[in-house]
Structures are given as structure tokens and as C-alpha cells.
């Protein structure tokens, strides 16, 4: 891997990875870069070869292709082919050059001065300048902005372009997560033409223009999207395996939502790579001649149940805690995922340096305790179906799972939890697959009940702001008794990792203790491919597969 150019920083504040993050590097180094954790019969590849085509079979079609608007993790490996950020994030948690070749941070940690790489252009030929980046950041943070990336820029005050290659960003207060926000896919820089376009840019048309190594060649909704290589590309992130143009001439992503169809397509040679390998198909590829099997890191949030504490009966903490403890989560996870994922105790993944180990073993699978809590809460009667009732009302908590985000057989897991909760404690977990439009309406009105979700890897402060603060998408500032604004603010107030961990541990413990958040398991991305495909990787800032920039095919 080429060494990234040195990042110039003042002596008072250098971005060396803290000890906890350095330890994380040892865990992730084998699975987050071009040397992703892999098994299979691939022979040593030799030198990379330019040219050729590649076809992916992917599980989910992006709802929106605009990087600044998309909140769908499965869309990110596709979007990264044409959308890039100022800064990259390496497997050891450090930040590397990308569209910016270096940066400085003021002693008070509120002014970031980025020097852009020379010669970067958008795919429409427009030059990347500091003013264009300023326009992007100003659009993201505008008062009327509805972009998903806005929340991560909470500390952003303003930016100035002192010349074409120098961008000075001023924060309202220190923000330990700011570089992570800059490195995120939501902070990808779009061309001036894109910023002026009407609409949400959710379709991959000619109006959606980035600086990436590929450009959209063709798109058929519901079927596939294909990309062509940019021959003039020469500004890869510092963590990439090579520089210059991508190896592949073209790459196609086919939308194959059925896991068995993806497996069949790879084994039949109809595609070269698939993601989201069905658990029961792992043995088809793992240690199998002609194939390779790769797994990514777990630093994002757990797949979890976010419970709306305003909506009865979940407004009673005893009911929420009974739900949390009323089923055997270990057994369900083992039975369904066959040891390929880890049961969760906290909102953060175990590969994160901020994971709270004290939560391990502290809750769950306490059926007697759960029944006692429901008795205490007054749910003491039973109806003919065995469900608990109070004042003639059945104990029911609705789960609205948006269909666009259903993957990894998570709906099957929810049904298994539903079955155990009925049998063990008489609670009706009403699991419903709802439309994306209905979910958006429910969040806007605050009428959502239980939202099953996971968030991709990011600085934990950004993750927790998204789900536990009034700046996130589940709560509002008016609901002061429900949010953890002070704790989230404390977690970003200093770059000191010890101070940050103290605040982040408090958040993790609080939301599990009062059962507003029930972690289920720590998801990992899985990829299977022919053994002739090389350079597959996971982007550390996303946890998901990287773009196809480093990928090449052995003749």
C-alpha cells in the first residue's frame, strides 16, 4: 500500500491515533483494507492487471443515489464509485489525504485549514476548488437543509475559501468528531452543476456529478447500474492500494434481493462477487476451491430495537425492560446466524475502541424478572390467546420495519423474538413491514413505535447524536426528557480519548438500562467472490464493502 502524504499539523494538536484506536488497528488491519479477512482457495495473485469487467450481485437497490441525502448503508459501496470526501479514514482509525492533501487544526480545535489536491476534477470536467467545497458544506448545513448529512455538521459555523486550494472551516465549538464527519460519505463533494440542479438528485442521472474513479454508464431501475472507468482519475485516498485510474474498464451492480439467487448467480458464473451471503450458504464459499469469502469489521451500531418511550405501553420503563429481558437472545442469534455474528450487549460494535465491555452479561434472558415487572406494571390478566391484558387491552407493542432496509434475514429474527415474547411473558410484539414513505411520515410526526435499525460505522458521537439527541432523526428538542444532548455534547468536547470514553460509556449504559434501546446483534458485511477477483476491501469509515477502485481481475 502506498504511504499517504504527511499531514501537516501544529505541534499543539497532532492527529496521532490514541492508544485505544491504535489497539483497534490490530483488530481491523486484516479485515478493513485491501487485505480483507478472507478464506478460500485463491492462489497468490501476482501484479495487478488493468482492464476487464466485473459484475456484483447486491442485495438492495439504493433508494437514493445522492451521497449527501442517502441514509441506506447498502447504497454506499455503489455511491463511493463516483462520490468522494476531503479526507479518508484508514483501518487504524487515523485520517488520510483524499481530495485534501493535508490539513491543520488550530490550538483551540475550532479552525480546520484544508489544502486541496491540485488537478482534481469532477467527471463533467469542472475543477475542484475550495469555493466548491464551501458551497457543498454550506448546502449541507443550511437552515432549511433536509440532507441526512446535516446532523454530523452540528458544530460547523462557516467556511472561507482563501484561494482555490485553501479551505478554512471554523467551528462554533471544538468537535472531536468533525474529521470523521468530513470523511463520511454524507460529506462527499458534488459538482456545482449538481448543487444547482432541481430535485433531490436521488436518481443517478447526468445531474449527479462527483470526483470519483467511475462514471455512471447505464442504469435500469430495479435491475442494475453500470459504471465506466475515468482514465484521468489520479487522487485516490491515502489508504488505497494503488494510485492513478481504476484497474477495471467497467463494473456493474445487479440488484438481486433474494439470497439464494445471489448464491446461484455466483456459483453459475453469472456474477463475479456477491455481498450479504446467506448464513446457510457460507460453506458454499468458505474454504471452497475457486472462491473466496470475506468478512468486514463491526464498529457501527448493533442491529437493535429503538423504542419510542412516548407511546403506550412502552412509555412504562417496566414494560420496556420486560421486552428487553423476556427472550433468550443468545439462543436466537446462534440458531439463526450459526455463529457468524455476535450477540450484542451495547449499541457500539466490539471492534470500536469505545465499546463498553461492562455491559457484557449485564442484561437479557431473565424471563422471571420480566414477568415480575409486568405484574408490577398491572398487566396481570390474560386473554384467550395467552397475551397479557390490562383494563381489557392487550399488551401490544408495534414494530414498524421499513421494507427498503430489511436485509440479513432480520425480519425472520424479529418473528422469532415475537414468538418467544408471547410464550415467555405474554407480550404481543406486532412486527409489521411498512413502506419507506410511511416510516418517513411516522418520524416526521413522532408516531413511530419501535424502529429496528443499524447505523454504519462513524465516530460514536455522530452515531449517538443521530439516535439519542434532539438533533437526530428520532427525537426533537421539545422532548428534553428523552434525549441525551448533554452526554453527546460531552463526548465531542475534547479530543482526549479517555474523556470521550467516559461520556460514551454513560450513553451506552443509559439507553440499555432504561430499555429505550435493545441491541440484538453486531452485523458484519460478508462478501463472496471468484478467486480470480483481487483487491476487494471494506472501507473503514463505512464498515461496508469499498468501491471497486482497487479491484482487478486475474486473466
Amino acid at each position: 500500500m502506498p504511504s499517504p502524504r504527511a499531514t501537516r499539523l501544529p505541534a499543539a494538536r497532532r492527529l496521532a491515533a490514541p492508544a485505544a484506536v491504535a489497539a483497534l488497528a490490530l483488530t481491523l488491519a486484516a479485515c478493513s483494507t485491501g487485505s480483507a479477512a478472507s478464506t478460500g482457495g485463491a492462489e497468490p495473485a501476482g501484479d495487478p492487471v488493468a482492464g476487464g469487467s466485473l459484475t456484483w450481485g447486491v442485495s438492495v437497490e439504493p433508494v437514493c443515489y445522492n451521497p449527501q441525502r442517502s441514509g441506506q448503508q447498502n447504497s454506499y459501496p455503489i455511491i463511493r464509485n463516483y462520490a468522494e470526501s476531503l479526507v479518508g479514514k484508514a483501518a487504524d482509525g487515523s485520517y488520510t489525504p483524499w481530495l485534501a492533501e493535508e490539513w491543520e487544526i488550530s490550538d483551540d480545535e475550532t479552525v480546520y485549514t484544508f489544502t486541496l489536491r491540485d488537478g482534481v476534477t469532477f467527471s463533467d470536467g469542472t475543477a475542484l476548488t475550495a469555493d466548491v467545497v464551501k458551497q457543498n458544506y454550506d448546502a449541507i448545513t443550511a437552515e432549511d437543509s433536509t440532507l441526512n448529512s446535516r446532523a454530523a455538521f452540528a458544530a460547523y459555523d462557516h467556511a472561507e475559501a482563501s484561494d482555490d486550494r485553501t479551505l478554512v472551516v471554523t467551528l462554533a465549538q471544538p468537535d472531536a468528531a468533525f474529521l470523521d464527519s468530513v470523511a463520511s460519505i454524507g460529506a462527499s463533494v458534488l459538482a456545482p452543476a449538481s448543487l444547482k440542479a432541481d430535485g433531490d438528485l436521488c436518481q443517478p442521472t447526468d445531474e449527479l456529478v462527483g470526483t470519483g474513479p467511475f462514471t455512471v454508464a447505464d442504469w435500469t431501475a430495479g435491475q442494475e447500474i453500470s459504471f465506466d472507468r475515468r482514465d484521468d482519475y489520479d487522487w485516490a485516498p491515502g489508504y488505497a492500494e494503488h494510485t492513478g485510474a481504476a484497474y477495471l474498464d467497467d463494473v456493474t451492480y445487479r440488484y438481486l434481493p433474494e439470497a439464494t439467487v445471489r448464491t446461484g448467480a455466483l456459483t453459475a458464473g453469472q456474477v463475479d462477487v456477491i455481498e450479504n451471503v446467506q448464513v446457510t450458504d457460507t460453506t458454499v464459499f468458505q474454504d471452497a476451491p475457486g472462491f473466496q469469502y470475506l468478512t468486514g469489521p463491526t464498529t457501527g451500531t448493533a442491529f437493535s430495537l429503538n423504542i419510542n418511550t412516548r407511546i403506550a405501553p412502552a412509555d412504562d420503563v417496566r414494560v420496556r425492560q420486560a421486552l428487553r429481558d423476556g427472550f433468550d437472545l443468545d439462543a436466537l442469534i446462534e440458531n439463526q446466524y450459526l455463529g457468524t455474528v455476535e450477540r450484542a450487549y451495547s449499541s457500539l460494535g466490539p471492534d470500536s475502541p469505545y465499546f463498553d465491555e461492562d455491559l457484557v452479561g449485564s442484561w437479557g434472558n431473565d424471563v422471571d424478572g420480566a414477568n415480575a415487572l409486568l405484574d408490577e406494571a398491572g398487566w396481570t390478566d390474560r386473554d384467550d390467546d395467552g397475551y397479557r391484558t390490562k383494563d381489557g387491552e392487550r399488551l401490544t407493542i408495534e414494530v414498524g420495519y421499513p421494507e427498503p432496509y430489511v436485509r440479513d434475514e432480520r425480519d425472520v429474527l424479529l418473528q422469532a423474538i415475537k414468538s418467544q415474547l408471547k410464550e415467555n411473558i405474554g407480550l404481543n410484539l406486532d412486527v409489521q413491514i411498512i413502506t419507506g414513505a410511511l416510516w418517513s411520515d411516522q418520524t416526521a410526526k413522532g408516531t413511530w413505535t419501535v424502529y429496528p435499525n443499524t447505523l454504519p460505522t462513524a465516530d460514536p458521537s455522530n452515531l449517538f447524536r443521530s439516535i439519542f439527541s434532539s438533533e437526530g432523526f428520532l427525537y426533537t428538542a421539545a422532548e428534553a426528557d428523552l434525549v441525551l444532548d448533554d452526554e453527546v455534547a460531552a463526548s465531542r468536547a475534547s479530543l482526549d480519548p479517555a474523556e470521550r470514553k467516559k461520556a460514551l460509556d454513560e450513553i451506552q449504559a443509559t439507553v440499555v438500562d432504561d430499555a429505550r434501546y435493545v441491541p440484538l446483534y453486531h452485523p458484519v458485511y460478508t462478501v463472496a467472490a471468484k478467486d480470480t477477483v483481487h483487491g476487494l476491501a471494506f472501507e473503514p469509515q463505512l464498515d461496508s464493502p469499498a468501491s471497486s477502485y482497487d479491484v482487478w481481475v486475474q486473466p
Side-chain angles (χ1 to χ4, degrees), residues 31-32 56 72-78 80 185 275 296-297 407 456-457 524-527 537-547:
C31 60
S32 300
W56 284 75
Q72 185 183 21
Q73 187 175 10
N74 290 69
S75 71
Y76 298 159
I78 298 174
R80 267 304 191 210
I185 195 166
E275 54 85 35
R407 62 184 176 96
T457 186
V524 294
Y525 262 94
T526 55
V527 171
F538 295 88
E539 183 177 335
Q541 215 282 333
L542 303 178
D543 272 1
S544 59
S547 74

Side-chain angles (χ1 to χ4, degrees), residues 205-525:
T205 65
D206 291 341
E207 291 182 319
L208 184 59
V209 181
T211 61
F214 293 94
T215 58
V216 176
D218 195 19
W219 171 61
T220 303
Q223 296 184 31
E224 65 183 32
I225 187 170
S226 59
F227 298 94
D228 287 338
R229 176 180 60 199
R230 282 188 65 183
D231 293 332
D232 62 343
Y233 180 86
D234 193 22
W235 43 87
Y239 60 78
E241 293 285 348
H242 80 291
T243 59
Y247 294 122
L248 297 168
D249 291 328
D250 54 81
V251 58
T252 297
Y253 292 80
R254 292 178 55 192
Y255 309 131
L256 305 175
E258 295 295 329
T260 55
V261 173
R262 292 193 301 278
T263 295
L266 179 55
T267 56
Q270 297 169 350
V271 300
D272 305 293
V273 191
I274 62 172
E275 54 85 35
N276 192 10
V277 181
Q278 186 171 246
V279 171
T280 53
D281 289 342
T282 300
T283 56
V284 175
F285 306 110
Q286 194 170 28
D287 299 319
F291 296 104
Q292 55 185 309
Y293 178 79
L294 304 94
T295 58
T298 57
T299 57
T301 60
F303 177 60
S304 57
L305 301 178
N306 294 277
I307 303 177
N308 191 338
T309 61
R310 301 183 301 264
I311 307 296
D315 58 344
D316 188 328
V317 65
R318 295 168 296 186
V319 173
R320 299 196 304 272
Q321 290 169 336
L323 185 159
R324 179 196 65 191
D325 295 338
F327 59 98
D328 187 348
L329 181 56
D330 295 89
L332 292 180
I333 298 299
E334 177 61 31
N335 289 341
Q336 181 163 331
Y337 295 103
L338 305 178
T340 60
V341 299
E342 184 176 345
R343 172 257 167 95
Y345 283 100
S346 171
S347 45
L348 292 181
D351 287 339
S352 169
Y354 297 108
F355 174 70
D356 185 0
E357 295 184 357
D358 290 341
L359 290 176
V360 175
S362 66
W363 61 270
N365 195 20
D366 180 10
V367 174
D368 290 342
N371 277 302
L373 285 169
L374 293 179
D375 288 342
E376 180 183 323
W379 295 91
T380 54
D381 296 328
R382 298 268 182 166
D383 63 18
D384 293 340
D385 293 320
Y387 290 110
R388 286 177 177 264
T389 63
K390 181 168 65 173
D391 300 328
E393 179 182 352
R394 175 179 286 183
L395 178 58
T396 299
I397 296 179
E398 181 181 307
V399 177
Y401 197 177
E403 189 276 333
Y405 305 114
V406 177
R407 62 184 176 96
D408 299 342
E409 299 181 341
R410 296 175 181 183
D411 52 335
V412 177
L413 174 63
L414 295 180
Q415 290 294 340
I417 294 172
K418 170 185 174 74
S419 178
Q420 281 208 6
L421 288 173
K422 176 185 179 181
E423 179 69 22
N424 293 344
I425 63 174
L427 186 150
N428 177 30
L429 193 70
D430 184 12
V431 179
Q432 299 183 14
I433 305 300
I434 63 176
T435 65
L438 178 57
W439 161 241
S440 296
D441 183 66
Q442 289 178 344
T443 52
K445 296 178 180 178
T447 58
W448 62 280
T449 50
V450 177
Y451 174 44
N453 87 316
T454 184
L455 294 178
T457 186
D459 185 279
S461 295
N462 282 337
L463 295 175
F464 291 162
R465 183 204 283 127
S466 293
I467 50 179
F468 302 134
S469 84
S470 59
E471 295 176 297
F473 63 96
L474 294 182
Y475 298 105
T476 69
E479 298 157 348
D481 58 327
L482 302 179
V483 298
L484 299 173
D485 286 353
D486 290 344
E487 292 81 356
V488 170
S491 75
R492 358 177 24 98
S494 170
L495 293 180
D496 183 338
E499 288 298 316
R500 299 196 68 206
K501 189 168 189 337
K502 180 179 178 182
L504 293 167
D505 283 353
E506 182 177 356
I507 295 170
Q508 291 173 75
T510 297
V511 298
V512 170
D513 287 347
D514 73 10
R516 75 179 72 176
Y517 182 93
V518 181
L520 300 177
Y521 76 90
H522 296 295
V524 294
Y525 262 94

